[in-house]
Amino acid sequence: MVIEVAGVRAPSGRAAEAALGVCAEYADEVLYHHSLRSYFFGAAWAQERGLDFDRELLFVSAMLHDLALTAPFDSQSLPFEDAGGHLARVFTAGLGWPVERRDRAAELIVLHMRDDVDPEQDLESRLLQVGTSADVSGTGLEAFEPRFREALVTAYPRLGFAASFVRLFRDQAGRKPGCAAAGLVAGDWAERTLANPLEEPAAGE
């Protein structure tokens, strides 16, 4: 498996291939593309700063981070990121990852919906936060060159992602009023997401 966007590469190997396959199988195309874009945004942010990061861990976590928003893995009680963390532990156990590495995959997924993580303390968690924030609400998007952003959206089109994702979060908020998604929906997150500049090319199609 070789995936590259504007000089930013995804990892190869069994774990990455398995995570990509599972994401493609259970997520619709909109969520699948978001998962890939989230990885590439995070990896590009690290590369631009010359940071050495665990590419496999970030990729696997990015591919799994939103699968608990899909019907087969949705929890009626747990916030989707917590349910996603449990999914990651099971998935990576099947890969034979040691407990500490399984915990790390779960941690990245849970923390992507929490307060900003200091990259000096936990680089990979911060990278998933950077990637998801840029792709969803456009937060921090100015850190990326327009050339990279265009290449990424061309490789993995948004396909009406913002409206679809806002619906998913509103559903989570309605059923789990104490979750992090509910806190975002209660503020201006939906408006910022729908106004993400990355949505503009799709709007002009």
Side-chain angles (χ1 to χ4, degrees):
M1 182 189 75
V2 177
I3 305 176
E4 182 174 342
V5 175
V8 181
R9 292 172 61 90
S12 59
R14 175 171 169 257
E17 290 178 6
L20 187 71
V22 165
C23 187
E25 181 175 354
Y26 285 98
D28 62 16
E29 192 174 16
V30 176
L31 206 59
Y32 174 65
H33 283 193
H34 161 63
S35 301
L36 283 161
R37 290 193 307 267
S38 295
Y39 165 78
F40 281 108
F41 270 125
W45 192 89
Q47 286 187 197
E48 178 67 22
R49 289 157 179 77
L51 300 174
D52 184 22
F53 65 101
D54 189 329
R55 197 174 292 268
E56 180 186 68
L57 176 64
L58 178 61
F59 186 82
V60 168
S61 300
M63 291 303 99
L64 303 178
H65 83 278
D66 276 344
L67 285 187
L69 291 171
T70 68
F73 302 114
D74 180 35
S75 169
Q76 293 303 308
S77 57
L78 292 177
F80 83 92
E81 67 275 17
D82 290 347
H86 289 293
L87 171 61
R89 283 192 175 92
V90 173
F91 174 84
T92 53
L95 292 173
W97 283 16
V99 172
E100 295 80 6
R101 190 163 179 77
R102 300 202 305 265
D103 288 346
R104 285 289 290 135
E107 184 175 39
L108 264 66
I109 292 170
V110 172
L111 290 181
H112 94 276
M113 288 293 291
R114 303 294 186 261
D115 292 337
D116 287 353
V117 175
D118 184 343
E120 293 186 1
Q121 299 296 320
D122 183 350
L123 177 57
E124 288 77 21
S125 289
R126 180 58 184 150
L127 295 181
L128 188 57
Q129 290 181 330
V130 166
T132 56
S133 295
D135 196 60
V136 174
S137 64
T139 301
L141 201 56
E142 66 280 356
F144 301 93
E145 293 288 339
R147 177 185 64 85
F148 172 77
R149 290 156 46 178
E150 182 178 353
L152 184 54
V153 172
T154 298
Y156 301 107
R158 293 181 71 80
L159 306 174
F161 166 74
S164 175
F165 206 66
V166 167
R167 284 194 297 271
L168 287 172
F169 264 41
R170 284 176 172 160
D171 174 68
Q172 292 284 312
R175 292 188 289 118
K176 309 169 196 178
C179 71
L184 290 174
V185 169
D188 65 351
W189 171 86
E191 290 73 18
R192 291 187 291 111
T193 296
L194 294 169
N196 188 334
L198 294 176
E199 289 290 302
E200 293 176 1
E205 289 178 357

